[in-house]
Amino acid sequence: MNNKFKLPKIDILFQLITFIRHMVLPLVLIFINTIKVMPWWGTLSVIGGVLLLLLLFAFLGWRNFYYVFMDDRIIIYSGVFTKKEKTIYYQRIHSVNISQNIVHRLLSLANLSIETPGVGMGKSDGEIRCLSIDKAKYLQNLLQRMGEASRGDAIDKREQLLHSIVANMENSTSRDVVETLHIENVEQGHGLANTAQSLDQNNEHAENIQSAATEVYKETKPEVNVKLDSALMFKSAISSLNLNIVFVWFAGIFAFADDILNVLFPNSTFIDDFFEQLEFSESLIIVIIVTLLCAMVMTWLLSVVFYILKYFDYKLERKGKQIHVSYGLFNRQAIVFNETKVQSIIFEENPIRQFIGFGELKVNIVKSVQEDSSSFSTHIVVHPFIHKNNIASYIAHLMPKRQLNKHEQTEKLPRASIRTYLLLPLILVTVPSIVSAIWLKWYAFLFIILIAIVAVWRLYQFKTAAFSIDESEIKLVSRSISRQTVYVRRQNLIVLSEGATPYQRKRGLRKISFNTLGGLVSTKYVLQGISAEQMDRAKLWLSQYLKR
Amino acid sequence: MIQDLKEKPDSKYLKVIFYSNLIFHGLLLLLVVALLVLSLVFDWTLVPFYICIGLLIASFVIFNLIMPKLEYHRFSFEVAEDQIQIKSGVFWRKIVLIPMVRVQHVQYKTGPILRKFNLASISISTAASQHVIPGLPQSYARELKDIIGEHAKVEEPYEQ
């Protein structure tokens, strides 16, 4: 059985484009510097030489890349000069993700990444690029199933799965795979038993392992199915505050504003004149307020657009033990993970949604950060818009093995920690404000507003913060702008830390923080200003579990 | 007040920090002297030299004479059967609790200066983080490495 596979040749092209994208700046520099001293054909040949070198690298990268399926692991060989050999045991796989950018989508290709913990910064090193989307989906499913099979002693099943993987990878046309994908109506859970039964009854199939193997993999009916229909999409989009993306966008505009104005109004001084003529008057305040309002509306509209692009065609399905999530218009993501691999559950409400009682439900799983993703978070949305009273029942439905505890005794922070929240930020804002107010005179009233905003914001954070331990689960509520409620099981907690500043020590206050898997290296959850007694309880809670 | 934990690094570790910092500052001093020579040869202003030498002396006093003692004083640790606790930090004090079952590997490390004093460091890695207990006597460090390794082998209890 040949179970060694290579990437399709088109990967060379994609790699070349990636290399060129990383090399654009040096190439431009070469061009600018050489054009002065060389004739045009000299410059072109230098750049052509560099491109040829990159092409050679891309080709060698492709030639040295292959992967092998074993019965308990997959081995990926890669590297041009330093050869790498990455072994991934199926059992260790936390999630398998498919990502497609717009070009991939047009060519129906996809990158598949196999995620294991401890890889570290950024990119996954279990990546198989440029598979056809059908093969990628097929592998995504089967790799997870292999993991389940390795966990038990189902050696037969594992062999069958392996056969079926190899058989389907060998099919050069994706059509065959699609056909196997769409054999329907076998309930998950009975899967193997049913196959065995049908094998007994049906002698035609019994002789042929290959076809038996393909039968193991069947399209099962999802048990939980969430789709973002247009009404729900509309509601969640208009209540979304995708602030981080919008800020980046605005920063970009401001950075280019001068250049744009210069292009639009060359040689004109009217902007400078405008600022010189500014005088403090009531009409100016109105202008400022109107500008701010316009900016806010723009921000909001942009965040709606970004939200729709990001979560377009959001789908969540639970098939057997696996949870499938997919979303995105231009950059499409498809993630498959096992419910037991969920590290933490997060419920996030931005102020608008909190007001109407809704929020976004997310889980943290081990997953690398996509190159073109807008955030460094590895939180996967499992419901984009859910009422806070429905979370527990939804989780129970979605992940029966990972239910939420009740947390009836959620405690607020001690009053003494108000100062922890207020003191330092206020000093940081007030001192520069006073200095600038003395310098800039009438702008002072803006600084008063700023101080007020900071004070209200920090007080709000203090009021939101809460802490609870319920049997095997810890719950932290905190706020940056959105309120974030984190639920972590004791078994998923890796390191617990206690911190205290001199002031906090004096008042018997602590900072609690703990790490779970997931994220760039790990995900850290922090809550400032809990009481020393609460901290001790958290420590005791962790050690009790360890003593058992 | 947070109580100190049971164990501390060897007191000889202070000397190790002193010497390694001394070497570092010595190298910086060479650079500053080079600056002085250049300034005198090329007749530059001496202001940068004064600033550099001032900073160097301040850094020597703070990071070689004051901080190591405070840090050493505040550092303590405890290795129990089920968890490791490490306490550190001078102004912002911190306690880290590492459950034994989360330890992935233990590393025994020693450099030239540490070896001179028969000392070694232990570094403990989990899936998410890395923690160092510096300046233990070599024999004890080896023993501790084995102890942690042995405890960490325990089958992980699975809670559902």
Side-chain angles (χ1 to χ4, degrees):
Chain A
M1 187 169 65
N2 178 29
N3 49 7
K4 188 172 141 182
F5 298 99
K6 291 184 80 66
L7 297 178
K9 286 206 180 68
I10 196 161
D11 177 59
I12 303 176
L13 194 68
F14 272 96
Q15 281 302 91
L16 181 64
I17 293 170
T18 320
F19 287 155
I20 292 175
R21 222 171 59 193
H22 289 292
M23 291 282 290
V24 161
L25 200 66
L27 279 178
V28 169
L29 284 178
I30 290 174
F31 183 77
I32 293 171
N33 283 317
T34 52
I35 198 114
K36 286 179 204 155
V37 291
M38 269 194 255
W40 62 269
W41 50 267
T43 311
L44 275 190
S45 57
V46 167
I47 287 182
V50 173
L51 286 183
L52 220 62
L53 212 64
L54 291 181
L55 183 67
L56 184 71
F57 266 110
F59 172 74
L60 287 177
W62 170 82
R63 209 190 59 178
N64 293 341
F65 192 106
Y66 59 98
Y67 49 101
V68 178
F69 293 101
M70 314 285 262
D71 60 347
D72 56 347
R73 60 191 184 270
I74 173 173
I75 309 177
I76 301 175
Y77 298 88
S78 64
V80 177
F81 293 118
T82 35
K83 300 267 163 84
K84 276 188 275 180
E85 184 184 321
K86 163 104 176 162
T87 306
I88 302 171
Y89 283 84
Y90 299 129
Q91 213 178 326
R92 289 264 167 160
I93 297 175
H94 271 243
S95 65
V96 185
N97 308 321
I98 293 177
S99 63
Q100 295 174 283
N101 62 30
I102 181 85
V103 185
H104 285 128
R105 292 206 73 185
L106 290 173
L107 299 172
S108 35
L109 295 173
N111 289 349
L112 182 86
S113 44
I114 304 164
E115 312 282 10
T116 48
V119 173
M121 300 300 284
K123 254 187 117 191
S124 152
D125 56 352
E127 195 177 33
I128 302 175
R129 295 180 302 261
C130 297
L131 288 169
S132 77
I133 180 70
D134 300 319
K135 273 187 189 169
K137 275 185 183 162
Y138 180 79
L139 264 187
Q140 184 181 40
N141 253 297
L142 276 204
L143 284 173
Q144 283 280 14
R145 298 255 188 112
M146 286 295 273
E148 276 172 33
S150 318
R151 225 163 283 141
D153 296 314
I155 296 165
D156 296 348
K157 188 178 176 186
R158 205 191 299 165
E159 247 166 40
Q160 283 183 332
L161 286 168
L162 187 64
H163 269 291
S164 113
I165 288 183
V166 172
N168 277 286
M169 290 302 289
E170 275 167 355
N171 285 335
S172 50
T173 52
S174 55
R175 188 157 297 276
D176 302 333
V177 187
V178 180
E179 275 166 16
T180 30
L181 263 166
H182 286 284
I183 305 171
E184 283 194 16
N185 298 330
V186 172
E187 289 291 325
Q188 171 69 18
H190 307 286
L192 189 63
N194 276 4
T195 316
Q197 273 178 13
S198 68
L199 281 181
D200 289 341
Q201 289 160 5
N202 200 338
N203 285 327
E204 285 172 74
H205 285 99
E207 290 165 10
N208 195 336
I209 291 180
Q210 203 101 328
S211 65
T214 41
E215 289 235 341
V216 174
Y217 178 74
K218 302 218 159 141
E219 189 76 352
T220 45
K221 270 188 188 159
E223 291 161 31
V224 179
N225 194 338
V226 178
K227 264 190 191 145
L228 200 53
D229 58 16
S230 44
L232 198 59
M233 173 71 123
F234 180 70
K235 274 190 256 173
S236 50
I238 58 168
S239 64
S240 75
L241 285 173
N242 252 331
L243 290 174
N244 47 354
I245 305 173
V246 176
F247 278 139
V248 171
W249 201 83
F250 268 113
I253 290 184
F254 281 128
F256 287 109
D258 271 1
D259 302 327
I260 293 169
L261 286 175
N262 271 335
V263 171
L264 290 180
F265 311 102
N267 304 325
S268 113
T269 54
F270 87 94
I271 293 167
D272 294 334
D273 296 344
F274 175 75
F275 278 110
E276 269 171 27
Q277 283 161 13
L278 272 187
E279 268 176 58
F280 179 57
S281 63
E282 279 171 18
S283 61
L284 184 64
I285 296 179
I286 293 167
V287 169
I288 290 175
I289 289 172
V290 170
T291 318
L292 278 178
L293 278 178
C294 285
M296 276 163 76
V297 172
M298 271 291 287
T299 313
W300 174 72
L301 281 176
L302 269 176
S303 98
V304 169
V305 171
F306 283 127
Y307 188 90
I308 290 173
L309 289 182
K310 189 171 176 194
Y311 290 112
F312 187 79
D313 192 23
Y314 177 93
K315 265 187 250 164
L316 179 139
E317 287 173 350
R318 185 198 150 88
K319 290 176 190 166
K321 289 171 192 156
Q322 313 295 353
I323 296 167
H324 298 235
V325 181
S326 59
Y327 56 85
L329 181 62
F330 295 132
N331 288 317
R332 193 147 178 85
Q333 303 278 331
I335 301 134
V336 175
F337 58 93
N338 190 305
E339 63 175 298
T340 54
K341 302 281 187 189
V342 167
Q343 304 297 320
S344 56
I345 296 176
I346 303 105
F347 184 58
E348 194 173 315
E349 307 148 273
N350 68 38
I352 300 177
R353 289 183 181 167
Q354 193 190 341
F355 186 67
I356 50 177
F358 281 84
E360 192 175 58
L361 193 63
K362 301 188 277 194
V363 295
N364 189 12
I365 57 168
V366 171
K367 172 180 173 295
S368 57
V369 178
Q370 294 302 322
E371 207 175 315
D372 39 9
S373 114
S374 53
S375 68
F376 291 108
S377 158
T378 47
H379 294 170
I380 303 295
V381 174
V382 290
H383 199 301
F385 198 68
I386 186 169
H387 196 273
K388 59 184 173 193
N389 297 338
N390 300 337
I391 307 171
S393 61
Y394 178 70
I395 292 281
H397 191 45
L398 182 68
M399 300 183 277
K401 282 192 179 160
R402 174 64 182 87
Q403 297 195 13
L404 288 181
N405 292 3
K406 291 215 167 60
H407 290 284
E408 273 157 358
Q409 291 173 321
T410 302
E411 300 158 36
K412 289 284 167 193
L413 301 187
R415 284 196 73 80
S417 65
I418 291 184
R419 271 201 248 177
T420 299
Y421 278 82
L422 274 181
L423 204 61
L424 193 63
L426 275 187
I427 292 173
L428 284 180
V429 178
T430 313
V431 172
S433 298
I434 291 173
V435 174
S436 346
I438 293 168
W439 268 18
L440 296 166
K441 308 221 166 80
W442 69 265
Y443 281 109
F445 82 97
L446 284 178
F447 293 118
I448 293 171
I449 296 174
L450 188 67
I451 293 170
I453 288 174
V454 170
V456 169
W457 174 54
R458 292 297 287 186
L459 268 178
Y460 206 31
Q461 286 190 337
F462 165 75
K463 266 191 74 179
T464 309
F467 168 91
S468 159
I469 290 176
D470 185 1
E471 283 175 40
S472 60
E473 196 176 65
I474 189 165
K475 170 184 161 190
L476 295 186
V477 188
S478 63
R479 174 189 298 280
S480 52
I481 290 171
S482 301
R483 177 162 83 179
Q484 180 176 285
T485 312
V486 183
Y487 302 89
V488 178
R489 280 281 167 96
R490 194 149 46 174
Q491 81 224 33
N492 293 324
L493 200 140
I494 293 175
V495 182
L496 178 74
S497 312
E498 160 183 349
T501 62
Y503 168 78
Q504 286 180 334
R505 254 195 329 269
K506 223 161 71 188
R507 306 273 160 161
L509 298 175
R510 299 286 182 269
K511 175 179 101 176
I512 184 172
S513 62
F514 48 79
N515 295 57
T516 68
L517 289 180
L520 283 178
V521 178
S522 66
T523 309
K524 192 172 187 181
Y525 299 104
V526 183
L527 186 64
Q528 278 283 0
I530 66 169
S531 71
E533 181 267 328
Q534 284 168 327
M535 186 69 226
D536 289 342
R537 237 185 309 142
K539 284 200 283 192
L540 193 68
W541 166 77
L542 184 65
S543 16
Q544 272 170 354
Y545 154 66
L546 297 167
K547 290 229 168 64
R548 273 195 294 147
Chain B
M1 199 65 199
I2 307 171
Q3 290 293 307
D4 263 2
L5 300 171
K6 270 186 206 152
E7 296 179 80
K8 279 178 118 23
D10 197 285
S11 58
K12 276 186 288 181
Y13 182 58
L14 272 175
K15 285 187 192 158
V16 175
I17 299 180
F18 181 81
Y19 286 122
S20 66
N21 276 342
L22 196 66
I23 292 171
F24 177 70
H25 280 101
L27 289 174
L28 285 181
L29 187 67
L30 279 181
L31 284 177
V32 176
V33 169
L35 177 69
L36 175 67
V37 172
L38 284 175
S39 307
L40 290 177
V41 170
F42 293 102
D43 212 19
W44 295 338
T45 163
L46 283 179
V47 175
F49 166 72
Y50 291 137
I51 294 174
C52 287
I53 199 81
L55 284 176
L56 192 64
I57 291 169
S59 148
F60 183 80
V61 171
I62 295 171
F63 295 108
N64 220 4
L65 301 180
I66 303 173
M67 289 302 282
K69 276 186 191 144
L70 289 177
E71 267 165 28
Y72 177 79
H73 186 64
R74 294 285 183 223
F75 190 95
S76 59
F77 66 97
E78 202 173 303
V79 177
E81 212 170 284
D82 50 2
Q83 63 183 10
I84 303 164
Q85 284 189 63
I86 300 173
K87 218 180 108 174
S88 61
V90 177
F91 301 109
W92 287 268
R93 271 186 239 165
K94 198 173 154 186
I95 301 182
V96 184
L97 243 84
I98 312 160
M100 239 359 143
V101 287
R102 298 281 177 262
V103 175
Q104 284 202 329
H105 62 267
V106 202
Q107 207 179 356
Y108 169 93
K109 274 193 290 196
T110 167
I113 306 175
L114 276 168
R115 257 204 309 277
K116 190 107 189 122
F117 288 90
N118 278 324
L119 295 179
S121 297
I122 289 285
S123 102
I124 302 155
S125 303
T126 67
S129 55
Q130 202 172 30
H131 310 273
V132 180
I133 304 175
L136 301 169
Q138 281 184 358
S139 58
Y140 183 62
R142 280 209 195 87
E143 201 182 307
L144 199 62
K145 180 199 73 182
D146 292 340
I147 291 172
I148 296 174
E150 194 57 40
H151 288 328
K153 229 164 47 185
V154 178
E155 196 69 16
E156 181 172 343
Y158 200 71
E159 202 176 7
Q160 266 311 335

